[in-house]
Amino acid sequence: MAGTRTVRNRISRSKRRKNRTSAARPSTGNPYKNLIITSVITILIGAVFGDLIVKKNIQTYNAQHTAFISSPKDGDEAFAAARAVYDTRLRERRRQTQRIIKYIADDSVSAFNDFYAVYNTALTDWNNHHDAMAREILETTKCEVRFPRDASDARKQAIDPHFNLFVSLDGFSPYLEAQPGKAEKARERFLKESRFCPTYFLTKSSGHSVHSVFASMHKRIYNYREHDYTECRLRHRRNIQAYYQSCLGAESPSLQTECMRRFDQKIAAGSFCDKGEFKIGDFTIKDVEFNELDFYWGLGDRFFKTFRREFILDYCQGQIGFWGNALGWNCNVVVDDYLDKN
């Protein structure tokens, strides 16, 4: 029996050793399976994100290229909008000033008084935006950078062609002949300006500008409105209904109507008021003053428009991003091509 147990024990130990040896063996199959799976996942992730990056770069390129191609037109529209900041108000104030002085020339107090609110709106709009208009001109032209104070030769070369053209035009002869030497004095002072900019002729209180001429005109318009003789007539004009009431005591409608007409005529003629030293000529504005206004307006606006190319070029260069720098997009070429066609 002992021999039998010994044999069984040996067989049992032998089986246990075989089982341990079997457990230690590597599993059957491809030993690179995990590596392959990891690699495939990495490639797929890289492909997805790589595709997104490529698409993003394409979108960025297309957007930057579109902005670059359209920049001359967009820049030109921005320049026109900057010019309109003063030009639109200037046109409106000139139109309303021209209309109200007609009522002064006709000494039509009632028409003058009725229209004054319209004129005053244009005047107020100009004055309220005066500083903003000047600032817009300076920012658009960057004239202080382009023409430093000590660059006298560059200044003369910039303004002389325009000035020489304007003083040679027959259309400005009324102003040039009425005030000989004044235009030349304006040019000399302009050349010495610390700010060699169109603001001098357009918005500055320089005595040689659109703003200065407007101010001179308005002084007489205002004085006419405030003059005792004019105020007297306006007062009677405001009382016209009371005068009409007094006419209702007349015997017949025709006589009542005739009475009312007489009051109208007396008020229009100023018969109720003592003219005293009133002289309509002291308040009238002559055509030559509008000729002077247009001289400064044209000269300043023409000089302003000489900054058009530089403004559009700066605008274009502001649209160049990474791709434009990388591929060497040339704003000078596209801007000159645009200006040749426009």
Side-chain angles (χ1 to χ4, degrees):
M1 291 297 290
T4 302
R5 284 196 298 271
T6 301
V7 171
R8 287 176 179 171
N9 289 337
R10 287 177 180 174
I11 291 172
S12 177
R13 287 195 298 270
S14 177
K15 286 182 178 180
R16 286 198 297 270
R17 283 197 298 270
K18 288 181 179 179
N19 288 338
R20 285 198 298 268
T21 305
S22 176
R25 290 176 183 172
S27 61
T28 58
N30 191 339
Y32 301 105
K33 181 179 179 180
N34 290 338
L35 178 61
I36 291 172
I37 292 173
T38 302
S39 299
V40 170
I41 292 173
T42 302
I43 291 171
L44 289 174
I45 293 173
V48 171
F49 283 97
D51 186 53
L52 291 175
I53 293 171
V54 170
K55 287 182 178 178
K56 182 65 176 177
N57 282 332
I58 291 174
Q59 291 173 353
T60 302
Y61 169 84
N62 288 336
Q64 291 183 2
H65 189 260
T66 300
F68 170 72
I69 294 301
S70 65
S71 63
K73 180 176 179 295
D74 294 342
D76 202 17
E77 290 175 353
F79 184 83
R83 177 172 176 257
V85 168
Y86 71 84
D87 192 66
T88 303
R89 290 187 176 89
L90 197 159
R91 291 177 184 277
E92 180 65 11
R93 187 173 178 191
R94 186 191 192 284
R95 180 165 50 248
Q96 307 308 352
T97 299
Q98 196 167 28
R99 182 172 174 183
I100 202 166
I101 66 166
K102 180 183 184 302
Y103 301 134
I104 295 178
D106 296 342
D107 200 17
S108 178
V109 176
S110 58
F112 173 93
N113 190 56
D114 292 341
F115 186 71
Y116 190 83
V118 178
Y119 162 78
N120 193 56
T121 297
L123 164 70
T124 302
D125 187 56
W126 175 272
N127 288 336
N128 286 347
H129 292 88
H130 185 265
D131 292 341
M133 291 187 293
R135 184 168 57 252
E136 186 75 20
I137 294 171
L138 293 173
E139 292 176 354
T140 302
T141 60
K142 294 185 174 65
C143 45
E144 294 169 289
V145 177
R146 185 178 173 189
F147 294 107
R149 188 166 189 172
D150 56 353
S152 57
D153 290 340
R155 288 170 172 237
K156 282 183 59 65
Q157 290 174 6
I159 195 61
D160 276 2
H162 310 297
F163 181 83
N164 293 337
L165 171 65
F166 271 62
V167 295
S168 67
L169 293 175
D170 290 340
F172 295 121
S173 58
Y175 158 60
L176 297 171
E177 292 173 4
Q179 301 189 55
K182 187 176 181 181
E184 179 58 34
K185 184 178 290 186
R187 188 186 75 96
E188 291 175 359
R189 290 185 177 178
F190 180 51
L191 286 169
K192 296 176 181 178
E193 277 286 295
S194 59
R195 282 182 171 177
F196 186 75
C197 295
T199 49
Y200 182 84
F201 296 115
L202 295 170
T203 60
K204 191 171 181 181
S205 301
S206 61
H208 304 281
S209 69
V210 167
H211 183 67
S212 299
V213 177
F214 272 144
S216 175
M217 290 179 175
H218 174 67
K219 184 177 181 180
R220 274 167 290 161
I221 292 170
Y222 180 80
N223 286 344
Y224 177 80
R225 184 169 183 259
E226 296 299 313
H227 195 276
D228 289 342
Y229 169 61
T230 305
E231 276 297 301
C232 172
R233 295 166 69 189
L234 290 174
R235 184 168 61 255
H236 284 290
R237 180 73 182 175
R238 287 191 292 269
N239 294 333
I240 190 67
Q241 293 302 322
Y243 300 149
Y244 288 165
Q245 287 291 329
S246 68
C247 293
L248 297 180
E251 296 179 357
S252 66
S254 61
L255 291 176
Q256 292 173 4
T257 301
E258 183 61 29
C259 173
M260 293 178 182
R261 285 177 178 169
R262 284 198 301 271
F263 277 117
D264 287 340
Q265 292 168 357
K266 288 180 178 180
I267 292 172
S271 301
F272 288 122
C273 306
D274 180 14
K275 284 191 175 185
E277 297 298 320
F278 178 84
K279 296 179 181 178
I280 191 66
D282 295 338
F283 305 97
T284 55
I285 297 169
K286 301 178 178 63
D287 289 341
V288 68
E289 293 177 78
F290 279 98
N291 196 245
E292 179 182 8
L293 174 76
D294 292 342
F295 179 87
Y296 295 132
W297 181 5
L299 189 59
D301 191 52
R302 186 180 175 88
F303 187 47
F304 178 88
K305 287 187 285 189
T306 63
F307 295 88
R308 180 183 174 212
R309 183 183 183 277
E310 282 70 22
F311 181 90
I312 298 174
L313 191 61
D314 287 345
Y315 187 94
C316 173
Q317 290 169 345
Q319 303 303 309
I320 292 181
F322 169 80
W323 287 109
N325 289 319
L327 299 175
W329 293 346
N330 193 328
C331 279
N332 284 287
V333 174
V334 295
V335 169
D336 288 340
D337 181 62
Y338 172 83
L339 293 175
D340 286 343
K341 297 176 182 175
N342 298 274

